[in-house]
Amino acid sequence: LYLGLALTWVEPVMALGPLEKALATRKRSPIVHLALSKAYFGCALDCVDSNKAKSYAENAVKHARIGHGPLSDSPFAISTLLFAHLGAASLNADTRDNHMQRSSELAEELSSFPDSIDAAIARFNYFIQTNDPEAAVEVMRVAQRHEAVGQNFVGKFGAIAAFQVGNYSLADQFLETVENERGDQREVWQNVIKIGRADEDRETFLAAVLPTLDKKIESGYLVEIDLDWAVLRLLGAPKSETRKLGRYIEQEFKQFKNEHLRQNTHRGTYMAGGRESELIRQQANSKRLLTNTYFILGVDSLANGKRRQAKENFQRAVDQKVILFYRYHWSLAFMKRLERDPLWPRWIPNNED
């Protein structure tokens, strides 16, 4: 069981074997069924074969229902079932309405658990899926008042939702609860919010950001490194700096034994000056990797003044439907920002073909 849970968020397909073994010895265990639901949900989000993805999603719903039965008053069980229905709704147009109706009921049930991180994240994603970022912001504002809730998740998801609705001051307030992790994880998110606000002098902003790059590389920092690269690109940093970061990403991820993590080397290669077509080819077997890839391509297009192409790439990232990935949510947020101002950020000249 513990092995399966550990593998779920890294390699969900590999999690299925250990969890099925756990189920063989504990067939009536609701916890094992809920764990299997999460693993199948992860498989559904990552699988590029639409028929297999639908099958994974159906299994996620099946196991979540079984686990939810004896634990119907548990926010963990309710949120697991809600995510399973959201995944199935995103992958199967024929049954979408039924899954979304059940999702609505479960989201309402979860409103009774304001101190649960599971409830907060599930309701947040439900409202994002129903195109109601204002409600998602409110979920995180309520969650922020409860110390029992994981404040890093609340701060980050709250900041992204506030960015979506254009409330940058509130986004900054959310980020005050995010703890730094091996460097300045909070600071890079704050930099993205500043770019969203776009009211600072670009050269002054860039001059403040550049000195932090070498420190991050020296520290072995990898958390949120894609966002650091995005900030540098959108501020017009010299290619020598953005490519230096790309080479660092390439070298660091090569050290991982896990194949999925090692695939991140290809994004580093692209950031260091590699070809777009090669990057997409290398990431084509995983929707999680493609989500990150299209976000990066969207940022690159935007930095080059090709805003129409940027929106198309951000839309491709969203179309992967990996709803728990930050890059999925950032892609949505950047699309919303471009809707509010088609020339954002205005220090980047337009360069449409």
Side-chain angles (χ1 to χ4, degrees), residues 160-204:
I160 294 176
F163 187 110
Q164 274 203 46
V165 301
N167 191 337
Y168 306 110
S169 296
L170 180 58
D172 283 332
Q173 290 175 29
F174 273 117
L175 290 177
E176 288 301 318
T177 66
V178 174
E179 297 177 359
N180 284 337
E181 184 177 341
R182 293 194 66 195
D184 49 6
Q185 183 178 1
R186 180 174 62 217
E187 184 176 322
V188 67
W189 280 60
Q190 290 170 330
N191 287 338
V192 178
I193 301 303
K194 288 180 183 178
I195 290 175
R197 188 182 282 114
D199 61 357
E200 295 194 23
D201 177 72
R202 183 196 65 82
E203 292 185 2
T204 303

mmCIF file of all heavy atoms in Angstrom, residues 160-204:
data_model
loop_
_atom_site.group_PDB
_atom_site.id
_atom_site.type_symbol
_atom_site.label_atom_id
_atom_site.label_comp_id
_atom_site.label_asym_id
_atom_site.label_seq_id
_atom_site.Cartn_x
_atom_site.Cartn_y
_atom_site.Cartn_z
ATOM 1 N N ILE A 160 -2.667 31.637 -8.070
ATOM 2 C CA ILE A 160 -2.965 31.422 -9.491
ATOM 3 C C ILE A 160 -4.391 31.857 -9.816
ATOM 4 O O ILE A 160 -4.644 32.508 -10.837
ATOM 5 C CB ILE A 160 -2.762 29.944 -9.875
ATOM 6 C CG1 ILE A 160 -1.292 29.549 -9.770
ATOM 7 C CG2 ILE A 160 -3.252 29.697 -11.294
ATOM 8 C CD1 ILE A 160 -1.015 28.083 -10.048
ATOM 9 N N ALA A 161 -5.337 31.512 -8.943
ATOM 10 C CA ALA A 161 -6.731 31.890 -9.190
ATOM 11 C C ALA A 161 -6.893 33.406 -9.134
ATOM 12 O O ALA A 161 -7.622 33.991 -9.946
ATOM 13 C CB ALA A 161 -7.648 31.215 -8.171
ATOM 14 N N ALA A 162 -6.212 34.050 -8.185
ATOM 15 C CA ALA A 162 -6.277 35.511 -8.098
ATOM 16 C C ALA A 162 -5.667 36.146 -9.345
ATOM 17 O O ALA A 162 -6.165 37.166 -9.854
ATOM 18 C CB ALA A 162 -5.559 35.993 -6.838
ATOM 19 N N PHE A 163 -4.580 35.567 -9.852
ATOM 20 C CA PHE A 163 -3.979 36.023 -11.114
ATOM 21 C C PHE A 163 -5.001 35.904 -12.242
ATOM 22 O O PHE A 163 -5.145 36.813 -13.065
ATOM 23 C CB PHE A 163 -2.749 35.175 -11.408
ATOM 24 C CG PHE A 163 -1.924 35.625 -12.586
ATOM 25 C CD1 PHE A 163 -0.670 36.169 -12.401
ATOM 26 C CD2 PHE A 163 -2.376 35.465 -13.897
ATOM 27 C CE1 PHE A 163 0.120 36.559 -13.482
ATOM 28 C CE2 PHE A 163 -1.614 35.854 -14.988
ATOM 29 C CZ PHE A 163 -0.360 36.404 -14.775
ATOM 30 N N GLN A 164 -5.720 34.780 -12.278
ATOM 31 C CA GLN A 164 -6.717 34.570 -13.336
ATOM 32 C C GLN A 164 -7.754 35.680 -13.371
ATOM 33 O O GLN A 164 -8.167 36.119 -14.446
ATOM 34 C CB GLN A 164 -7.430 33.228 -13.140
ATOM 35 C CG GLN A 164 -6.728 32.044 -13.744
ATOM 36 C CD GLN A 164 -7.702 30.901 -14.014
ATOM 37 O OE1 GLN A 164 -8.790 31.103 -14.551
ATOM 38 N NE2 GLN A 164 -7.310 29.703 -13.642
ATOM 39 N N VAL A 165 -8.182 36.133 -12.199
ATOM 40 C CA VAL A 165 -9.235 37.161 -12.159
ATOM 41 C C VAL A 165 -8.650 38.565 -12.150
ATOM 42 O O VAL A 165 -9.390 39.550 -12.089
ATOM 43 C CB VAL A 165 -10.173 36.956 -10.951
ATOM 44 C CG1 VAL A 165 -10.822 35.585 -11.005
ATOM 45 C CG2 VAL A 165 -9.436 37.144 -9.636
ATOM 46 N N GLY A 166 -7.310 38.684 -12.195
ATOM 47 C CA GLY A 166 -6.682 39.998 -12.276
ATOM 48 C C GLY A 166 -6.502 40.711 -10.956
ATOM 49 O O GLY A 166 -6.241 41.914 -10.933
ATOM 50 N N ASN A 167 -6.598 39.976 -9.838
ATOM 51 C CA ASN A 167 -6.427 40.589 -8.516
ATOM 52 C C ASN A 167 -5.006 40.283 -8.021
ATOM 53 O O ASN A 167 -4.790 39.343 -7.260
ATOM 54 C CB ASN A 167 -7.476 40.048 -7.542
ATOM 55 C CG ASN A 167 -7.519 40.840 -6.245
ATOM 56 O OD1 ASN A 167 -6.543 41.489 -5.865
ATOM 57 N ND2 ASN A 167 -8.648 40.784 -5.553
ATOM 58 N N TYR A 168 -4.043 41.073 -8.468
ATOM 59 C CA TYR A 168 -2.637 40.781 -8.183
ATOM 60 C C TYR A 168 -2.265 41.066 -6.733
ATOM 61 O O TYR A 168 -1.381 40.394 -6.183
ATOM 62 C CB TYR A 168 -1.745 41.560 -9.149
ATOM 63 C CG TYR A 168 -2.124 41.312 -10.586
ATOM 64 C CD1 TYR A 168 -2.714 42.310 -11.356
ATOM 65 C CD2 TYR A 168 -1.947 40.054 -11.161
ATOM 66 C CE1 TYR A 168 -3.105 42.073 -12.662
ATOM 67 C CE2 TYR A 168 -2.333 39.798 -12.465
ATOM 68 C CZ TYR A 168 -2.919 40.812 -13.219
ATOM 69 O OH TYR A 168 -3.309 40.556 -14.503
ATOM 70 N N SER A 169 -2.930 42.018 -6.105
ATOM 71 C CA SER A 169 -2.671 42.286 -4.687
ATOM 72 C C SER A 169 -3.071 41.091 -3.834
ATOM 73 O O SER A 169 -2.357 40.693 -2.909
ATOM 74 C CB SER A 169 -3.431 43.534 -4.228
ATOM 75 O OG SER A 169 -2.969 44.683 -4.914
ATOM 76 N N LEU A 170 -4.213 40.490 -4.171
ATOM 77 C CA LEU A 170 -4.650 39.302 -3.453
ATOM 78 C C LEU A 170 -3.702 38.133 -3.730
ATOM 79 O O LEU A 170 -3.390 37.342 -2.827
ATOM 80 C CB LEU A 170 -6.079 38.933 -3.848
ATOM 81 C CG LEU A 170 -6.671 37.692 -3.165
ATOM 82 C CD1 LEU A 170 -6.669 37.846 -1.653
ATOM 83 C CD2 LEU A 170 -8.098 37.430 -3.671
ATOM 84 N N ALA A 171 -3.223 38.023 -4.956
ATOM 85 C CA ALA A 171 -2.257 36.959 -5.281
ATOM 86 C C ALA A 171 -1.023 37.091 -4.396
ATOM 87 O O ALA A 171 -0.514 36.096 -3.864
ATOM 88 C CB ALA A 171 -1.875 37.038 -6.760
ATOM 89 N N ASP A 172 -0.534 38.308 -4.218
ATOM 90 C CA ASP A 172 0.621 38.532 -3.339
ATOM 91 C C ASP A 172 0.307 38.137 -1.901
ATOM 92 O O ASP A 172 1.151 37.563 -1.203
ATOM 93 C CB ASP A 172 1.046 40.003 -3.386
ATOM 94 C CG ASP A 172 1.820 40.338 -4.656
ATOM 95 O OD1 ASP A 172 2.462 39.432 -5.210
ATOM 96 O OD2 ASP A 172 1.775 41.506 -5.078
ATOM 97 N N GLN A 173 -0.898 38.433 -1.449
ATOM 98 C CA GLN A 173 -1.294 38.074 -0.082
ATOM 99 C C GLN A 173 -1.295 36.555 0.093
ATOM 100 O O GLN A 173 -0.841 36.039 1.116
ATOM 101 C CB GLN A 173 -2.673 38.641 0.233
ATOM 102 C CG GLN A 173 -2.713 40.154 0.364
ATOM 103 C CD GLN A 173 -4.125 40.682 0.546
ATOM 104 O OE1 GLN A 173 -4.998 39.988 1.094
ATOM 105 N NE2 GLN A 173 -4.380 41.889 0.077
ATOM 106 N N PHE A 174 -1.794 35.849 -0.893
ATOM 107 C CA PHE A 174 -1.778 34.382 -0.817
ATOM 108 C C PHE A 174 -0.347 33.865 -0.702
ATOM 109 O O PHE A 174 -0.057 32.950 0.073
ATOM 110 C CB PHE A 174 -2.444 33.767 -2.051
ATOM 111 C CG PHE A 174 -3.936 33.611 -1.936
ATOM 112 C CD1 PHE A 174 -4.798 34.297 -2.784
ATOM 113 C CD2 PHE A 174 -4.480 32.746 -1.003
ATOM 114 C CE1 PHE A 174 -6.171 34.138 -2.692
ATOM 115 C CE2 PHE A 174 -5.863 32.573 -0.893
ATOM 116 C CZ PHE A 174 -6.708 33.273 -1.748
ATOM 117 N N LEU A 175 0.559 34.442 -1.469
ATOM 118 C CA LEU A 175 1.934 33.945 -1.505
ATOM 119 C C LEU A 175 2.696 34.203 -0.212
ATOM 120 O O LEU A 175 3.726 33.562 0.031
ATOM 121 C CB LEU A 175 2.683 34.562 -2.690
ATOM 122 C CG LEU A 175 2.232 34.066 -4.061
ATOM 123 C CD1 LEU A 175 2.985 34.789 -5.166
ATOM 124 C CD2 LEU A 175 2.421 32.557 -4.205
ATOM 125 N N GLU A 176 2.211 35.100 0.627
ATOM 126 C CA GLU A 176 2.882 35.344 1.904
ATOM 127 C C GLU A 176 2.870 34.106 2.793
ATOM 128 O O GLU A 176 3.688 33.971 3.700
ATOM 129 C CB GLU A 176 2.211 36.519 2.636
ATOM 130 C CG GLU A 176 2.495 37.875 2.010
ATOM 131 C CD GLU A 176 3.982 38.189 1.951
ATOM 132 O OE1 GLU A 176 4.689 37.908 2.942
ATOM 133 O OE2 GLU A 176 4.429 38.690 0.907
ATOM 134 N N THR A 177 1.953 33.172 2.537
ATOM 135 C CA THR A 177 1.866 31.957 3.361
ATOM 136 C C THR A 177 2.727 30.823 2.817
ATOM 137 O O THR A 177 2.817 29.769 3.433
ATOM 138 C CB THR A 177 0.406 31.461 3.448
ATOM 139 O OG1 THR A 177 -0.034 31.041 2.146
ATOM 140 C CG2 THR A 177 -0.512 32.556 3.959
ATOM 141 N N VAL A 178 3.350 31.009 1.627
ATOM 142 C CA VAL A 178 4.154 29.963 1.012
ATOM 143 C C VAL A 178 5.556 29.998 1.592
ATOM 144 O O VAL A 178 6.214 31.044 1.612
ATOM 145 C CB VAL A 178 4.213 30.142 -0.523
ATOM 146 C CG1 VAL A 178 5.164 29.130 -1.151
ATOM 147 C CG2 VAL A 178 2.816 29.992 -1.119
ATOM 148 N N GLU A 179 6.013 28.844 2.063
ATOM 149 C CA GLU A 179 7.355 28.758 2.630
ATOM 150 C C GLU A 179 8.391 28.608 1.527
ATOM 151 O O GLU A 179 8.151 27.946 0.521
ATOM 152 C CB GLU A 179 7.455 27.559 3.577
ATOM 153 C CG GLU A 179 6.539 27.649 4.785
ATOM 154 C CD GLU A 179 6.622 26.416 5.654
ATOM 155 O OE1 GLU A 179 7.386 25.495 5.286
ATOM 156 O OE2 GLU A 179 5.931 26.368 6.682
ATOM 157 N N ASN A 180 9.548 29.223 1.726
ATOM 158 C CA ASN A 180 10.640 29.042 0.780
ATOM 159 C C ASN A 180 11.205 27.634 0.912
ATOM 160 O O ASN A 180 11.227 27.066 1.999
ATOM 161 C CB ASN A 180 11.751 30.059 1.042
ATOM 162 C CG ASN A 180 11.377 31.437 0.533
ATOM 163 O OD1 ASN A 180 10.529 31.569 -0.348
ATOM 164 N ND2 ASN A 180 11.995 32.452 1.082
ATOM 165 N N GLU A 181 11.648 27.083 -0.200
ATOM 166 C CA GLU A 181 12.171 25.714 -0.214
ATOM 167 C C GLU A 181 13.465 25.685 -1.015
ATOM 168 O O GLU A 181 13.473 25.819 -2.232
ATOM 169 C CB GLU A 181 11.143 24.776 -0.853
ATOM 170 C CG GLU A 181 11.559 23.327 -0.821
ATOM 171 C CD GLU A 181 10.477 22.443 -1.410
ATOM 172 O OE1 GLU A 181 9.321 22.890 -1.495
ATOM 173 O OE2 GLU A 181 10.795 21.317 -1.793
ATOM 174 N N ARG A 182 14.598 25.542 -0.318
ATOM 175 C CA ARG A 182 15.912 25.475 -0.957
ATOM 176 C C ARG A 182 16.123 26.642 -1.911
ATOM 177 O O ARG A 182 16.474 26.479 -3.075
ATOM 178 C CB ARG A 182 16.090 24.163 -1.702
ATOM 179 C CG ARG A 182 16.152 22.947 -0.813
ATOM 180 C CD ARG A 182 16.660 21.740 -1.591
ATOM 181 N NE ARG A 182 18.035 21.944 -1.993
ATOM 182 C CZ ARG A 182 18.666 21.213 -2.918
ATOM 183 N NH1 ARG A 182 18.009 20.242 -3.539
ATOM 184 N NH2 ARG A 182 19.918 21.438 -3.219
ATOM 185 N N GLY A 183 15.890 27.827 -1.453
ATOM 186 C CA GLY A 183 16.101 28.979 -2.303
ATOM 187 C C GLY A 183 14.973 29.967 -2.135
ATOM 188 O O GLY A 183 14.660 30.371 -1.028
ATOM 189 N N ASP A 184 14.338 30.356 -3.224
ATOM 190 C CA ASP A 184 13.287 31.371 -3.127
ATOM 191 C C ASP A 184 12.067 30.963 -3.951
ATOM 192 O O ASP A 184 11.677 31.635 -4.885
ATOM 193 C CB ASP A 184 13.808 32.739 -3.561
ATOM 194 C CG ASP A 184 14.535 32.690 -4.896
ATOM 195 O OD1 ASP A 184 14.522 31.623 -5.522
ATOM 196 O OD2 ASP A 184 15.085 33.712 -5.298
ATOM 197 N N GLN A 185 11.503 29.845 -3.565
ATOM 198 C CA GLN A 185 10.311 29.342 -4.246
ATOM 199 C C GLN A 185 9.204 30.396 -4.249
ATOM 200 O O GLN A 185 8.547 30.615 -5.258
ATOM 201 C CB GLN A 185 9.834 28.078 -3.546
ATOM 202 C CG GLN A 185 8.636 27.406 -4.198
ATOM 203 C CD GLN A 185 8.254 26.138 -3.471
ATOM 204 O OE1 GLN A 185 8.868 25.784 -2.487
ATOM 205 N NE2 GLN A 185 7.243 25.456 -3.956
ATOM 206 N N ARG A 186 8.994 31.036 -3.114
ATOM 207 C CA ARG A 186 7.952 32.063 -3.043
ATOM 208 C C ARG A 186 8.295 33.244 -3.947
ATOM 209 O O ARG A 186 7.426 33.793 -4.626
ATOM 210 C CB ARG A 186 7.789 32.532 -1.596
ATOM 211 C CG ARG A 186 6.712 33.610 -1.436
ATOM 212 C CD ARG A 186 6.480 33.928 0.031
ATOM 213 N NE ARG A 186 7.673 34.453 0.659
ATOM 214 C CZ ARG A 186 8.040 34.179 1.925
ATOM 215 N NH1 ARG A 186 7.314 33.353 2.651
ATOM 216 N NH2 ARG A 186 9.116 34.708 2.432
ATOM 217 N N GLU A 187 9.575 33.609 -3.973
ATOM 218 C CA GLU A 187 9.966 34.791 -4.735
ATOM 219 C C GLU A 187 9.710 34.634 -6.227
ATOM 220 O O GLU A 187 9.284 35.583 -6.892
ATOM 221 C CB GLU A 187 11.443 35.104 -4.491
ATOM 222 C CG GLU A 187 11.896 36.390 -5.171
ATOM 223 C CD GLU A 187 13.326 36.731 -4.836
ATOM 224 O OE1 GLU A 187 13.745 36.513 -3.684
ATOM 225 O OE2 GLU A 187 14.036 37.210 -5.737
ATOM 226 N N VAL A 188 9.961 33.443 -6.783
ATOM 227 C CA VAL A 188 9.745 33.289 -8.216
ATOM 228 C C VAL A 188 8.261 33.392 -8.551
ATOM 229 O O VAL A 188 7.883 33.959 -9.584
ATOM 230 C CB VAL A 188 10.357 31.966 -8.748
ATOM 231 C CG1 VAL A 188 9.630 30.743 -8.212
ATOM 232 C CG2 VAL A 188 10.321 31.954 -10.279
ATOM 233 N N TRP A 189 7.393 32.884 -7.691
ATOM 234 C CA TRP A 189 5.962 33.062 -7.917
ATOM 235 C C TRP A 189 5.598 34.540 -7.823
ATOM 236 O O TRP A 189 4.786 35.038 -8.609
ATOM 237 C CB TRP A 189 5.166 32.241 -6.891
ATOM 238 C CG TRP A 189 5.056 30.789 -7.238
ATOM 239 C CD1 TRP A 189 6.077 29.904 -7.413
ATOM 240 C CD2 TRP A 189 3.862 30.059 -7.482
ATOM 241 N NE1 TRP A 189 5.597 28.665 -7.738
ATOM 242 C CE2 TRP A 189 4.236 28.722 -7.781
ATOM 243 C CE3 TRP A 189 2.505 30.384 -7.457
ATOM 244 C CZ2 TRP A 189 3.302 27.731 -8.068
ATOM 245 C CZ3 TRP A 189 1.567 29.390 -7.736
ATOM 246 C CH2 TRP A 189 1.970 28.090 -8.035
ATOM 247 N N GLN A 190 6.197 35.244 -6.879
ATOM 248 C CA GLN A 190 5.933 36.686 -6.767
ATOM 249 C C GLN A 190 6.395 37.421 -8.023
ATOM 250 O O GLN A 190 5.752 38.380 -8.462
ATOM 251 C CB GLN A 190 6.635 37.239 -5.527
ATOM 252 C CG GLN A 190 6.006 36.775 -4.217
ATOM 253 C CD GLN A 190 6.847 37.114 -2.996
ATOM 254 O OE1 GLN A 190 8.075 37.182 -3.071
ATOM 255 N NE2 GLN A 190 6.190 37.315 -1.865
ATOM 256 N N ASN A 191 7.492 36.944 -8.617
ATOM 257 C CA ASN A 191 7.959 37.560 -9.862
ATOM 258 C C ASN A 191 6.970 37.348 -10.998
ATOM 259 O O ASN A 191 6.763 38.243 -11.829
ATOM 260 C CB ASN A 191 9.328 36.996 -10.243
ATOM 261 C CG ASN A 191 10.444 37.519 -9.361
ATOM 262 O OD1 ASN A 191 10.320 38.577 -8.740
ATOM 263 N ND2 ASN A 191 11.540 36.787 -9.298
ATOM 264 N N VAL A 192 6.363 36.160 -11.055
ATOM 265 C CA VAL A 192 5.355 35.910 -12.093
ATOM 266 C C VAL A 192 4.156 36.835 -11.886
ATOM 267 O O VAL A 192 3.604 37.379 -12.855
ATOM 268 C CB VAL A 192 4.906 34.431 -12.090
ATOM 269 C CG1 VAL A 192 3.816 34.201 -13.141
ATOM 270 C CG2 VAL A 192 6.087 33.507 -12.367
ATOM 271 N N ILE A 193 3.766 37.046 -10.626
ATOM 272 C CA ILE A 193 2.657 37.963 -10.341
ATOM 273 C C ILE A 193 3.022 39.383 -10.785
ATOM 274 O O ILE A 193 2.187 40.104 -11.355
ATOM 275 C CB ILE A 193 2.300 37.950 -8.838
ATOM 276 C CG1 ILE A 193 1.912 36.540 -8.379
ATOM 277 C CG2 ILE A 193 1.166 38.935 -8.548
ATOM 278 C CD1 ILE A 193 0.774 35.908 -9.122
ATOM 279 N N LYS A 194 4.263 39.788 -10.558
ATOM 280 C CA LYS A 194 4.706 41.120 -10.990
ATOM 281 C C LYS A 194 4.625 41.259 -12.507
ATOM 282 O O LYS A 194 4.237 42.308 -13.024
ATOM 283 C CB LYS A 194 6.144 41.374 -10.540
ATOM 284 C CG LYS A 194 6.321 41.617 -9.052
ATOM 285 C CD LYS A 194 7.792 41.847 -8.729
ATOM 286 C CE LYS A 194 8.020 42.015 -7.232
ATOM 287 N NZ LYS A 194 9.476 42.192 -6.931
ATOM 288 N N ILE A 195 4.970 40.200 -13.222
ATOM 289 C CA ILE A 195 4.858 40.243 -14.679
ATOM 290 C C ILE A 195 3.391 40.344 -15.088
ATOM 291 O O ILE A 195 3.038 41.052 -16.033
ATOM 292 C CB ILE A 195 5.534 39.009 -15.306
ATOM 293 C CG1 ILE A 195 7.052 39.118 -15.144
ATOM 294 C CG2 ILE A 195 5.158 38.865 -16.784
ATOM 295 C CD1 ILE A 195 7.817 37.906 -15.621
ATOM 296 N N GLY A 196 2.527 39.649 -14.354
ATOM 297 C CA GLY A 196 1.095 39.774 -14.618
ATOM 298 C C GLY A 196 0.613 41.192 -14.407
ATOM 299 O O GLY A 196 -0.149 41.735 -15.213
ATOM 300 N N ARG A 197 1.072 41.818 -13.348
ATOM 301 C CA ARG A 197 0.688 43.197 -13.049
ATOM 302 C C ARG A 197 1.272 44.145 -14.089
ATOM 303 O O ARG A 197 0.629 45.119 -14.489
ATOM 304 C CB ARG A 197 1.185 43.568 -11.652
ATOM 305 C CG ARG A 197 0.687 44.913 -11.155
ATOM 306 C CD ARG A 197 1.246 45.231 -9.787
ATOM 307 N NE ARG A 197 0.560 44.524 -8.720
ATOM 308 C CZ ARG A 197 1.113 43.595 -7.954
ATOM 309 N NH1 ARG A 197 2.380 43.221 -8.152
ATOM 310 N NH2 ARG A 197 0.429 43.014 -6.988
ATOM 311 N N ALA A 198 2.513 43.885 -14.491
ATOM 312 C CA ALA A 198 3.187 44.603 -15.593
ATOM 313 C C ALA A 198 3.228 46.111 -15.402
ATOM 314 O O ALA A 198 3.060 46.874 -16.349
ATOM 315 C CB ALA A 198 2.523 44.257 -16.924
ATOM 316 N N ASP A 199 3.490 46.554 -14.158
ATOM 317 C CA ASP A 199 3.555 48.000 -13.926
ATOM 318 C C ASP A 199 4.932 48.440 -13.428
ATOM 319 O O ASP A 199 5.099 49.562 -12.965
ATOM 320 C CB ASP A 199 2.470 48.427 -12.931
ATOM 321 C CG ASP A 199 2.622 47.773 -11.562
ATOM 322 O OD1 ASP A 199 3.533 46.943 -11.405
ATOM 323 O OD2 ASP A 199 1.821 48.089 -10.664
ATOM 324 N N GLU A 200 5.930 47.539 -13.536
ATOM 325 C CA GLU A 200 7.282 47.890 -13.130
ATOM 326 C C GLU A 200 8.160 48.128 -14.353
ATOM 327 O O GLU A 200 7.893 47.622 -15.439
ATOM 328 C CB GLU A 200 7.902 46.777 -12.262
ATOM 329 C CG GLU A 200 7.202 46.580 -10.932
ATOM 330 C CD GLU A 200 8.033 45.734 -9.978
ATOM 331 O OE1 GLU A 200 9.262 45.685 -10.153
ATOM 332 O OE2 GLU A 200 7.439 45.132 -9.066
ATOM 333 N N ASP A 201 9.223 48.888 -14.173
ATOM 334 C CA ASP A 201 10.180 49.086 -15.245
ATOM 335 C C ASP A 201 10.889 47.768 -15.532
ATOM 336 O O ASP A 201 11.472 47.155 -14.625
ATOM 337 C CB ASP A 201 11.199 50.157 -14.841
ATOM 338 C CG ASP A 201 12.265 50.349 -15.901
ATOM 339 O OD1 ASP A 201 11.942 50.907 -16.957
ATOM 340 O OD2 ASP A 201 13.408 49.907 -15.663
ATOM 341 N N ARG A 202 10.842 47.342 -16.787
ATOM 342 C CA ARG A 202 11.372 46.024 -17.139
ATOM 343 C C ARG A 202 12.857 45.890 -16.820
ATOM 344 O O ARG A 202 13.306 44.881 -16.245
ATOM 345 C CB ARG A 202 11.140 45.749 -18.620
ATOM 346 C CG ARG A 202 11.606 44.355 -19.063
ATOM 347 C CD ARG A 202 11.720 44.260 -20.580
ATOM 348 N NE ARG A 202 12.753 45.141 -21.110
ATOM 349 C CZ ARG A 202 14.060 44.844 -21.139
ATOM 350 N NH1 ARG A 202 14.484 43.695 -20.657
ATOM 351 N NH2 ARG A 202 14.938 45.691 -21.637
ATOM 352 N N GLU A 203 13.646 46.901 -17.170
ATOM 353 C CA GLU A 203 15.094 46.795 -16.972
ATOM 354 C C GLU A 203 15.456 46.743 -15.496
ATOM 355 O O GLU A 203 16.345 45.985 -15.088
ATOM 356 C CB GLU A 203 15.795 47.964 -17.662
ATOM 357 C CG GLU A 203 15.700 47.904 -19.181
ATOM 358 C CD GLU A 203 16.501 48.997 -19.857
ATOM 359 O OE1 GLU A 203 17.163 49.780 -19.138
ATOM 360 O OE2 GLU A 203 16.465 49.072 -21.097
ATOM 361 N N THR A 204 14.761 47.524 -14.679
ATOM 362 C CA THR A 204 15.003 47.499 -13.228
ATOM 363 C C THR A 204 14.621 46.149 -12.651
ATOM 364 O O THR A 204 15.339 45.575 -11.816
ATOM 365 C CB THR A 204 14.205 48.611 -12.539
ATOM 366 O OG1 THR A 204 14.566 49.876 -13.113
ATOM 367 C CG2 THR A 204 14.475 48.635 -11.042
#
